[in-house]
Amino acid sequence: MAALLLVCAAVCPRAGAAVYRLDDKPGLGPEFDGVGGLSGGGATSRLLVNYQEPYRSQILDYLFKPNFGASLHILKVEIGGDAQTTDGTEPSHMHYEDDENYFRGYEWWLMKEAKKRNPNIKLVGLPWAFPAWISGGENWPYVYPDRTAFYISSWIHGAKLYHNLDIDYVGIWNERSYNRKYIMLLRYTMDKMGLEQVKIIASDNLWEPISWSVLHTELSDVVDIIGAHYPGTVSSSNARKTGKKLWSSEDYSTVNNDIGGGCWARILNQNYVNGNITSTIAWNLLASYYKELPFGQDGLMTADEPWSGHYEVQSPIWVTAHTTQFTQPGWHYLKNVGHLKKGGSNVALTDGKGNLTIIVETMSHDHSVCIRPPLPPFKVSPQNVTFQLQGSFKQIETLKVWYTKFDFFKNSSKFFSQHSDIKVVNGAFSMPVGVDEIWTMTTISTGKRGTVPQPPPSRSFPKDYKDDFNVKTPPFSEAPNFADQTGVFEYFINYNDPGDHVFTLRQVVTERPITWASDADQTISVIGDYKWQDVNITCDVLIETANTGGVFIAGRVNKGGELIRHAEGLYYWIFADGTYKVTNDLPGKTVLASGKSGTRAWKWHTLTLRIQGDSAYGLLNGYPLWKDVRVTHPQNGWAAIGTRGFELAQFDNFHVQAG
Ligand SMILES: *[C@@H]1O[C@H](CO)[C@@H](O)[C@H](O)[C@H]1NC(C)=O
Ligand SMILES: *[C@@H]1O[C@H](CO)[C@@H](O)[C@H](O)[C@H]1NC(C)=O
Ligand SMILES: *[C@@H]1O[C@H](CO)[C@@H](O)[C@H](O)[C@H]1NC(C)=O
Ligand SMILES: *[C@@H]1O[C@H](CO)[C@@H](O)[C@H](O)[C@H]1NC(C)=O
Ligand SMILES: *[C@@H]1O[C@H](CO)[C@@H](O)[C@H](O)[C@H]1NC(C)=O
């Protein structure tokens, strides 16, 4: 009797416990394809590359290192297209038709860092935008579908050739239309280039109409995965009828406080439970862009201060760990998983070799804060649950336990802590489950909550910042902290220069790309602290386009990302036709001053802009050119450099001082 009581205390069904059976005898459910993060769409990892060690490696460890933090299964990256794609531009591997370079930007580097930590991580590439030559100037990538297929296949081929990276999956055109002929040609071209193993995801938009096309056209032969964005945990019946794998190929997009973590926890379970979705990818991987850009801090964690080394590991990292550290792509969902009686959900996965991982979530908080909440109802109450393990899981005697408790209102959340093992008796165990909790019960014993020493405290951008761009072998093509918002600014070497300006920064996009967001008609790269008010900016500039060319330096630039066309600020322009202008906005609609400057192309000029309170003045080559310009709006913003249109131009000896 005593012995029986003892056993009962641990495992007998608790009061009112609902029983959930987990069984592999009736066969397994669909294959699980993993949890991922998305770098790009666009420039969301921009500031990461400029972190000093050891902080940069620590951030990468939190994202990719197995059994440490998020331990991601998938890294999805943007195939740069020289255009604005949400928080900046990412450079193309082919700016021009006769151009090819597989060392631009930071996505190659990021993929290699991810592979270094987890050689099994899956890689996905997807374009948002394309350089203009693809379509002969039309804002449409399917004008010459063979050309676009060659362009994308070249990127995949280049990944292997120059970086030994095997791209596992490729997409079509992010959140835009697909074209059947193009998808067929992409498959054909990849096969011809020896890239048969690369799977096609279509179409990174809604479930329809792609699911219909896959059901009814030749696309059924070439589309491997139907990828939808922000599906709200459900899929369409056509999508399920295709028999293809269903992915939420972009999801989450919520500020990474605890509420964001809660949204992510529910999505990770319920995308499968409600939608038969077998992979979920977070936009974005890492909030590593200036916070005031659109969707600030919508990453799994935040690292947007390379100048201080400060970063923050937020709840989504630990929420991810609950699934990723105890499953792998290639595992299978069990068939009998779903909602819990009193709210929340459970999924269970197996490697087919006896390992079992059960993940329970009971998120309750106001779901309207998640970007695409699942369908109601979400009423969740404390409950007792009993799991009955059957089939080959009957042998299991103990399970490791990992636990998260969100406490949204008291800031006392506890993430991903290990609890004592659960003893399974006669294939069953019971447990109480509260509200806003995540539980992982697993046979996998390698789980770990990675820690590193506290990173340095947060600091604002240096008030005195200089860059002469004199880097003989730059580790990246872009200069630190410059965040391109239209156009691409790259390190450049002037072999013919007598000596003053051999190493410069050059704007290189010469035609308006096939855009995804609304690029400005001017090019612009921003830098610094959005709070800056009084600034002195000096920069040497070289216009490379005779007659019509022009360049600017600017302060108080108040918008970026998708809103860049509407950026205000104080812009000081000089032009190749011998004139200057001071404008209150990037498009130049509000002119505050203008006149003759004697400036011309192919001659270096030094521009100096001083903004103090509500007044500004400008110097050209050290001499006053204009003064007493009133600036009442905006009150603050970034510093910037840029050009009048899509044209080549160079910049050197950039210097900003803020009050
Ligand atoms: C869970 O079970 C315990 C032990 O039997 C009981 O005290 C508790 O009230 C139960 N909780 C709920 C929510 O039913
Ligand atoms: C999900 O797939 C399983 C089989 O893999 C099937 O039994 C189930 O009905 C599907 N669920 C939905 C919502 O389509
Ligand atoms: C579970 O997974 C571990 C680690 O991958 C493996 O060593 C073990 O053989 C698997 N099977 C069981 C029953 O634990
Ligand atoms: C919780 O923390 C956030 C951010 O640190 C803060 O803004 C908020 O006021 C805190 N709430 C409570 C109840 O302490
Ligand atoms: C800018 O330069 C002027 C002239 O040298 C100086 O008076 C002012 O303090 C400087 N402003 C800042 C923010 O450094």
Side-chain angles (χ1 to χ4, degrees):
M1 197 62 190
L4 192 72
L5 264 179
L6 213 85
V7 171
C8 239
V11 301
C12 284
R14 288 166 190 260
V19 178
Y20 303 90
R21 272 179 194 76
L22 298 175
D23 194 355
D24 57 357
K25 233 183 300 159
L28 301 177
E31 186 179 6
F32 168 68
D33 299 310
V35 177
L38 172 46
S39 171
T44 54
S45 307
R46 175 64 191 95
L47 297 171
L48 171 65
V49 297
N50 304 132
Y51 269 77
Q52 302 293 305
E53 293 297 348
Y55 312 117
R56 194 170 69 175
S57 288
Q58 291 168 359
I59 296 161
L60 292 163
D61 286 349
Y62 276 115
L63 295 171
F64 300 118
K65 192 172 167 181
N67 304 313
F68 192 83
S71 308
L72 291 168
H73 300 143
I74 299 173
L75 170 60
K76 175 171 172 176
V77 304
E78 175 172 351
I79 300 175
D82 289 346
Q84 170 61 246
T85 53
T86 300
D87 288 303
T89 72
E90 297 198 30
S92 168
H93 57 293
M94 295 184 175
H95 293 316
Y96 325 112
E97 191 159 6
D98 58 355
D99 167 62
E100 230 178 321
N101 181 325
Y102 297 88
F103 297 91
R104 294 187 183 126
Y106 38 82
E107 303 293 7
W108 310 108
W109 166 85
L110 185 63
M111 287 190 279
K112 284 190 283 190
E113 292 295 324
K115 278 274 178 194
K116 239 191 242 173
R117 288 166 174 78
N118 176 8
N120 296 322
I121 197 165
K122 304 285 183 205
L123 300 176
V124 185
L126 174 66
W128 268 245
F130 304 83
W133 63 268
I134 291 278
S135 63
E138 280 189 61
N139 203 38
W140 188 247
Y142 307 126
V143 178
Y144 308 109
D146 50 342
R147 211 186 266 189
T148 307
F150 170 74
Y151 169 81
I152 292 296
S153 304
S154 298
W155 184 87
I156 300 170
H157 189 249
K160 182 67 183 172
L161 195 61
Y162 297 101
H163 304 284
N164 197 27
L165 290 167
D166 291 299
I167 303 299
D168 298 282
Y169 304 94
V170 66
I172 310 304
W173 189 16
N174 183 68
E175 292 175 6
R176 294 291 180 267
S177 64
Y178 59 91
N179 171 281
R180 272 162 40 200
K181 189 167 168 198
Y182 167 69
I183 298 178
M184 297 309 289
L185 269 168
L186 176 64
R187 179 75 274 162
Y188 173 82
T189 310
M190 290 198 298
D191 289 351
K192 241 180 31 180
M193 289 171 78
L195 303 170
E196 296 89 348
Q197 78 288 353
V198 181
K199 294 194 164 73
I200 292 182
I201 303 175
S203 62
D204 284 291
N205 203 346
L206 305 175
W207 293 117
E208 305 298 344
I210 186 66
S211 298
W212 186 93
S213 286
V214 167
L215 273 177
H216 296 289
T217 73
E218 71 278 18
L219 286 189
S220 64
D221 297 333
V222 300
V223 170
D224 298 284
I225 288 152
I226 315 255
H229 286 196
Y230 305 95
T233 77
V234 295
S235 49
S236 72
S237 63
N238 268 349
R240 292 192 301 272
K241 259 188 249 158
T242 61
K244 301 285 181 186
K245 283 171 175 284
L246 308 184
W247 283 21
S248 178
S249 47
E250 188 181 315
D251 213 324
Y252 173 60
S253 190
T254 308
V255 175
N256 56 20
N257 55 19
D258 288 4
I259 293 194
C263 295
W264 184 230
R266 187 167 356 77
I267 291 165
L268 285 181
N269 261 23
Q270 298 202 16
N271 269 349
Y272 177 69
V273 168
N274 302 337
N276 269 17
I277 295 163
T278 57
S279 175
T280 299
I281 298 176
W283 189 87
N284 52 64
L285 172 74
L286 178 70
S288 199
Y289 44 100
Y290 292 112
K291 307 192 172 23
E292 296 84 3
L293 287 168
F295 305 99
Q297 296 189 284
D298 276 17
L300 296 176
M301 60 181 275
T302 303
D304 57 9
E305 288 188 14
W307 47 88
S308 71
H310 181 74
Y311 62 85
E312 285 177 28
V313 183
Q314 283 109 338
S315 63
I317 291 291
W318 303 118
V319 168
T320 313
H322 268 281
T323 299
T324 50
Q325 292 201 9
F326 312 104
T327 60
Q328 288 302 325
W331 283 40
H332 281 255
Y333 283 101
L334 297 194
K335 281 188 168 164
N336 25 19
V337 300
H339 293 275
L340 298 178
K341 284 247 162 56
K342 295 196 174 164
S345 65
N346 73 298
V347 296
L349 300 101
T350 180
D351 62 355
K353 294 178 228 150
N355 277 306
L356 176 68
T357 292
I358 306 165
I359 306 142
V360 169
E361 63 76 26
T362 55
M363 293 305 136
S364 74
H365 59 280
D366 180 1
H367 299 256
S368 61
V369 299
C370 307
I371 189 162
R372 199 70 52 91
L375 303 172
F378 336 104
K379 203 171 146 36
V380 185
S381 333
Q383 56 198 307
N384 286 319
V385 300
T386 296
F387 285 100
Q388 202 142 62
L389 310 186
Q390 300 185 327
S392 62
F393 307 126
K394 224 170 172 165
Q395 331 279 328
I396 294 171
E397 290 176 353
T398 62
L399 289 166
K400 303 278 167 205
V401 182
W402 291 85
Y403 175 63
T404 284
K405 172 80 182 177
F406 282 98
D407 194 334
F408 301 104
F409 304 106
K410 294 202 201 114
N411 282 353
S412 60
S413 300
K414 288 229 163 19
F415 301 117
F416 199 60
S417 59
Q418 187 163 16
H419 269 214
S420 45
D421 293 1
I422 284 180
K423 289 241 169 307
V424 185
V425 176
N426 294 330
F429 66 93
S430 284
M431 57 191 284
V433 175
V435 176
D436 294 324
E437 295 181 347
I438 314 172
W439 291 87
T440 301
M441 281 72 66
T442 179
T443 56
I444 298 289
S445 56
T446 45
K448 215 166 160 191
R449 195 185 201 283
T451 56
V452 298
Q454 189 77 9
S458 172
R459 244 190 318 117
S460 43
F461 194 96
K463 280 190 158 52
D464 191 334
Y465 185 84
K466 280 182 192 173
D467 196 338
D468 60 11
F469 311 117
N470 289 356
V471 190
K472 298 202 168 68
T473 50
F476 294 97
S477 57
E478 296 152 302
N481 306 318
F482 277 95
D484 304 350
Q485 300 301 316
T486 293
V488 170
F489 294 72
E490 291 179 349
Y491 282 116
F492 184 66
I493 304 177
N494 278 320
Y495 291 102
N496 299 326
D497 188 272
D500 288 351
H501 300 289
V502 178
F503 298 97
T504 67
L505 194 68
R506 191 187 207 196
Q507 199 298 114
V508 297
V509 178
T510 54
E511 244 185 300
R512 188 178 180 78
I514 301 174
T515 54
W516 185 80
S518 305
D519 288 66
D521 297 323
Q522 305 73 28
T523 76
I524 177 170
S525 188
V526 302
I527 187 166
D529 192 326
Y530 190 78
K531 296 189 204 76
W532 281 349
Q533 297 186 322
D534 291 351
V535 283
N536 288 340
I537 303 166
T538 299
C539 193
D540 298 340
V541 299
L542 180 76
I543 301 168
E544 294 188 50
T545 306
N547 305 320
T548 59
V551 301
F552 71 81
I553 62 174
R556 296 192 188 175
V557 174
N558 70 348
K559 290 190 187 73
E562 297 173 293
L563 305 173
I564 190 62
R565 285 185 80 81
H566 309 289
E568 298 155 308
L570 196 77
Y571 298 79
Y572 170 17
W573 311 74
I574 56 165
F575 301 106
D577 66 3
T579 64
Y580 76 92
K581 234 187 233 179
V582 182
T583 68
N584 211 176
D585 56 354
L586 178 62
K589 285 187 201 126
T590 309
V591 178
L592 303 175
S594 64
K596 289 216 164 12
S597 59
T599 50
R600 54 185 171 86
W602 296 111
K603 180 179 186 313
W604 280 94
H605 299 287
T606 302
L607 299 186
T608 303
L609 170 63
R610 296 199 167 133
I611 311 177
Q612 195 145 22
D614 59 5
S615 129
Y617 65 97
L619 293 83
L620 176 64
N621 303 325
Y623 297 100
L625 182 65
W626 52 273
K627 61 179 184 173
D628 297 331
V629 163
R630 262 177 72 76
V631 215
T632 50
H633 176 83
Q635 293 286 316
N636 59 286
W638 297 291
I641 55 175
T643 65
R644 176 188 220 167
F646 289 99
E647 63 187 70
L648 298 173
Q650 291 175 57
F651 302 85
D652 202 0
N653 302 316
F654 176 83
H655 185 189
V656 56
Q657 288 170 292

